[in-house]
Amino acid sequence: MRGSLHTGSYPCGDSPSPDRYAIDLSPQAGRGEVSDQGTTTMTAMLEMRNVSKSFAGVQALRDVNFSVHAGQIHALVGENGAGKSTLMKVLSGVYPHGSYEGTIIFEGEERRFRDINDSEALGIIIIHQELALIPLMSIAENIFLSHPPSKFGVIDRDEVYRRTRELLAQVGLRESPDTLITDLGVGKQQLVEIAKALSKRVRMLILDEPTASLNEADSAALLERLMAFREQGIGSILISHKLNEVAKVADHITVLRDGRTVDSIDCRAEPIQEDRIIRSMVNRDLAHRFPERSVKIGEPVLAIENWSVYHPIHPERQVIKNVNFGVKRGEVVGIAGLMGAGRTEFAMSLFGRSWGTNISGSIRLEGREIVLPSVAAAIDAGLAYVTEDRKQLGLILADDVRKNITLASLDQVAPGRVIDDIAELKVASDYRNRMRIRCSDVYQETGQLSGGNQQKVVLSKWLMTDPKVLILDEPTRGIDVGAKYEIYCIINELAEAGRGVVVISSEMPELLGICDRICVMNDGAFVGEFSGTEATQEKIMRAIMRNQRSNGNGVPEAAEMGGLQP
């Protein structure tokens, strides 16, 4: 049955073998003492007691209790908006003492952090999902930007480079300290962030969605580093929506829902059912990870022929190579491929030539050839594109929900070229209710919303344009399983209404679960196509690898492949 996905049992923290925990829990590792009866008694490095926090009348945290021991990886999971990031901002001093209720005990003493500098001085370091690195500065400059070693008031560059090399070795990077951040991939940038944390004598490391933008190989490398820090007695708090990764490395799992602690799981005691975590997160059973729908595919709605695109900065480089592509009414078509295959470039070039140069080829919409010289022309024709980077390209975070929803359809709420505030409020409120956007009201700043609710605002913006074809680029990146399910339902509703839907995703289970057809892209060309019923992860990867070999490039190294997340 299409739409179902087996959810199995995972032993948390790799293996629950007694030998492993005998080592991890030894006094030398800083994780407690073993009694004569074989039970372990430990004093928590961190305790957060009865923490509550509210924003503009919305209760974000309600009497949350949370603790972490030295040398422990404690995973914090929950839906977007459950309060995970808020709790960590309380801990790290982003929300200072006095702005919340409750108590923080760190290394046996009550702490009242005034700002993030206070928490960092004790070794509590938070790495946010959006990396805080300066692209045009070197690795060394980024690591020691706020606390450079100095002699007589002058930066000691020899010491900076010596310590940078040591830190890079600790996180497994071989790059030169002089390497610019802009020349690194996202995975290596994440490791630089961890090196920066180590430079501050980290005792408690908080990672907020550290693998959300990483490929499988980079994610595995980062998790390996996290497990190595465990052996050094560093406590780690891992916020992640990737439950397979949580199950692999976590010693303990705490589940938040609606700002409350609803489940606490000791991963050393039992294998963990993924279904249990999901049920705790969303307060309901998900018999299927992907919703069922009745498939009724009609006539072609979009047809692309001989589409070619060249790089906007290197015009001699052809990025999209004579591509033919189409989608029918009521059809969900997936585009699979490795990072750098050209999927996003292809989508953006279609959407009013918003990426690329020297673009050629034809576009037929509902059988009629059209020309789309601009984004405005694409919207008018009936195309919509939901970008993979919602924060930078999809939303104006400083504006409220109302303005973001109507942004692409101002003509509908601005008769006589003057915005009708009442009409705008009504439309935005309707989409808020329809899309179940969790916010205090439509006047709330969009940047204050969780990732899943921000994504719903982006979708609302483009649904308001009433598109014939909707292109979704990584539509569920960085959002939880409950919000993902809701977005899958929206995709199904669009297809059942006769729209054509194109989904670009790096998660193969997602493509296999929601698509009627999957096209495989590699090196700017489509190299395979499978129906939803015949597609498998193996077939998709085989098509990519076969094309790699036929191009004479050889099979790429796992660390450089990027892209598809099995």
Side-chain angles (χ1 to χ4, degrees):
M1 186 187 306
R2 195 181 71 82
S4 63
L5 177 70
H6 172 71
T7 55
S9 169
Y10 296 93
C12 285
D14 279 337
S15 167
S17 68
D19 288 342
R20 173 194 148 192
Y21 290 108
I23 295 172
D24 286 350
L25 298 175
S26 66
Q28 290 81 0
R31 301 195 48 188
E33 297 181 356
V34 181
S35 68
D36 293 338
Q37 288 76 25
T39 58
T40 304
T41 59
M42 292 186 290
T43 301
M45 173 188 284
L46 166 72
E47 289 184 77
M48 302 182 74
R49 301 174 181 170
N50 303 316
V51 175
S52 298
K53 171 73 176 170
S54 61
F55 299 94
V58 177
Q59 194 76 27
L61 299 172
R62 304 168 187 263
D63 296 318
V64 173
N65 292 287
F66 182 77
S67 64
V68 184
H69 295 86
Q72 182 185 65
I73 300 175
H74 194 136
L76 187 61
V77 300
E79 290 189 275
N80 288 104
K84 306 182 299 296
S85 294
T86 301
L87 185 66
M88 293 302 100
K89 288 177 180 178
V90 167
L91 171 59
S92 60
V94 173
Y95 299 138
H97 181 265
S99 67
Y100 62 88
E101 299 174 3
T103 305
I104 298 174
I105 307 293
F106 185 70
E107 295 188 326
E109 296 183 27
E110 182 178 350
R111 308 294 181 173
R112 299 182 176 184
F113 300 133
R114 294 166 298 180
D115 53 34
I116 198 167
N117 293 323
D118 283 357
S119 63
E120 286 190 351
L122 292 177
I124 301 173
I125 311 297
I126 184 169
I127 299 177
H128 297 281
Q129 186 174 349
E130 290 78 29
L131 302 181
L133 298 173
I134 301 175
L136 295 180
M137 293 182 73
S138 70
I139 293 174
E141 290 167 333
N142 271 275
I143 289 176
F144 289 104
L145 184 62
S146 64
H147 55 291
S150 61
K151 286 182 178 179
F152 310 111
V154 179
I155 293 175
D156 185 344
R157 292 192 174 275
D158 290 339
E159 181 67 6
V160 167
Y161 281 94
R162 184 189 68 79
R163 289 180 59 185
T164 299
R165 282 189 286 269
E166 289 179 352
L167 292 165
L168 293 181
Q170 285 187 56
V171 300
L173 283 178
R174 299 179 179 178
E175 272 68 20
S176 165
D178 283 322
T179 303
L180 297 181
I181 295 297
T182 191
D183 294 331
L184 300 176
V186 177
K188 290 183 177 180
Q189 289 184 28
Q190 189 73 264
L191 293 176
V192 171
E193 278 280 22
I194 294 176
K196 186 166 71 172
L198 293 175
S199 75
K200 299 174 182 178
R201 304 294 190 266
V202 62
R203 297 284 294 124
M204 179 72 64
L205 182 62
I206 306 166
L207 299 107
D208 192 352
E209 296 289 348
T211 64
S213 300
L214 303 188
N215 60 54
E216 184 186 4
D218 286 339
S219 296
L222 189 146
L223 295 175
E224 286 291 331
R225 293 296 149 193
L226 201 58
M227 289 188 283
F229 297 152
R230 174 169 58 192
E231 306 306 323
Q232 299 171 25
I234 297 173
S236 298
I237 301 171
L238 174 64
I239 300 175
S240 179
H241 293 311
K242 297 182 179 179
L243 300 185
N244 60 325
E245 294 181 353
V246 168
K248 179 179 179 182
V249 302
D251 300 305
H252 203 98
I253 299 172
T254 292
V255 184
L256 293 185
R257 185 177 71 241
D258 297 329
R260 298 180 186 271
T261 304
V262 296
D263 203 357
S264 185
I265 305 165
D266 185 350
C267 299
R268 298 166 299 177
E270 58 177 326
I272 296 303
Q273 290 288 337
E274 189 175 306
D275 282 344
R276 171 184 170 181
I277 302 174
I278 295 171
R279 187 164 56 249
S280 296
M281 287 170 60
V282 303
N283 197 26
R284 64 182 184 275
D285 288 315
L286 291 182
H288 301 286
R289 189 69 59 85
F290 306 103
E292 295 288 342
R293 71 177 174 89
S294 56
V295 180
K296 296 180 181 178
I297 297 176
E299 297 297 314
V301 62
L302 177 70
I304 312 297
E305 295 182 358
N306 299 319
W307 195 255
S308 294
V309 182
Y310 288 79
H311 198 284
I313 299 176
H314 307 287
E316 72 285 353
R317 178 182 161 203
Q318 188 174 7
V319 179
I320 306 300
K321 303 171 181 177
N322 302 310
V323 161
N324 296 307
F325 177 78
V327 59
K328 299 178 180 178
R329 293 185 184 278
E331 185 180 32
V332 180
V333 180
I335 301 181
L338 304 179
M339 194 176 295
R343 297 169 299 167
T344 294
E345 292 82 356
F346 173 57
M348 292 182 68
S349 67
L350 291 179
F351 189 59
R353 303 181 178 231
S354 51
W355 190 92
T357 188
N358 193 19
I359 299 173
S360 61
S362 66
I363 304 176
R364 303 185 73 84
L365 191 65
E366 295 182 323
R368 179 173 59 89
E369 186 166 346
I370 58 173
V371 178
L372 305 177
S374 66
V375 169
I379 295 172
D380 291 341
L383 262 64
Y385 171 64
V386 176
T387 174
E388 65 176 335
D389 189 350
R390 59 177 172 265
K391 293 183 182 291
Q392 295 293 326
L393 303 176
L395 296 166
I396 301 175
L397 295 177
D399 262 344
D400 57 37
V401 172
R402 168 190 52 128
K403 290 181 179 178
N404 273 284
I405 288 176
T406 60
L407 191 60
S409 309
L410 288 176
D411 57 321
Q412 296 184 37
V413 294
R417 304 182 69 84
V418 177
I419 293 177
D420 183 335
D421 290 337
I422 301 301
E424 186 178 46
L425 173 62
K426 183 179 184 303
V427 168
S429 297
D430 286 345
Y431 273 100
R432 175 199 175 193
N433 294 331
R434 174 182 168 189
M435 303 291 282
R436 295 184 289 277
I437 299 170
R438 290 184 58 183
C439 56
S440 57
D441 53 45
V442 295
Y443 295 103
Q444 184 173 357
E445 188 176 299
T446 309
Q448 295 178 352
L449 303 185
S450 66
N453 286 299
Q454 287 180 5
Q455 189 72 345
K456 290 179 186 178
V457 173
V458 177
L459 283 167
S460 299
K461 176 180 73 173
W462 290 115
L463 292 181
M464 189 176 170
T465 68
D466 193 26
K468 299 179 177 70
V469 177
L470 181 64
I471 304 172
L472 304 169
D473 197 347
E474 303 288 358
T476 64
R477 173 173 287 171
I479 63 176
D480 62 81
V481 290
K484 283 183 178 183
Y485 190 89
E486 292 181 348
I487 288 175
Y488 299 149
C489 289
I490 293 167
I491 291 172
N492 285 354
E493 290 171 8
L494 290 168
E496 289 170 3
R499 316 294 173 89
V501 183
V502 179
V503 178
I504 299 170
S505 178
S506 296
E507 297 187 28
M508 279 197 277
E510 181 169 86
L511 293 175
L512 296 171
I514 67 174
C515 295
D516 304 306
R517 182 161 52 94
I518 299 174
C519 299
V520 184
M521 198 170 205
N522 189 65
D523 194 28
F526 285 110
V527 297
E529 181 179 318
F530 306 97
S531 69
T533 54
E534 69 173 350
T536 65
Q537 296 185 23
E538 291 77 15
K539 288 181 179 179
I540 292 171
M541 290 305 300
R542 194 176 297 121
I544 294 171
M545 295 302 181
R546 182 171 57 246
N547 183 257
Q548 290 278 354
R549 288 192 292 269
S550 66
N551 285 343
N553 296 329
V555 179
E557 293 292 333
E560 298 176 354
M561 285 169 56
L564 293 172
Q565 304 289 335

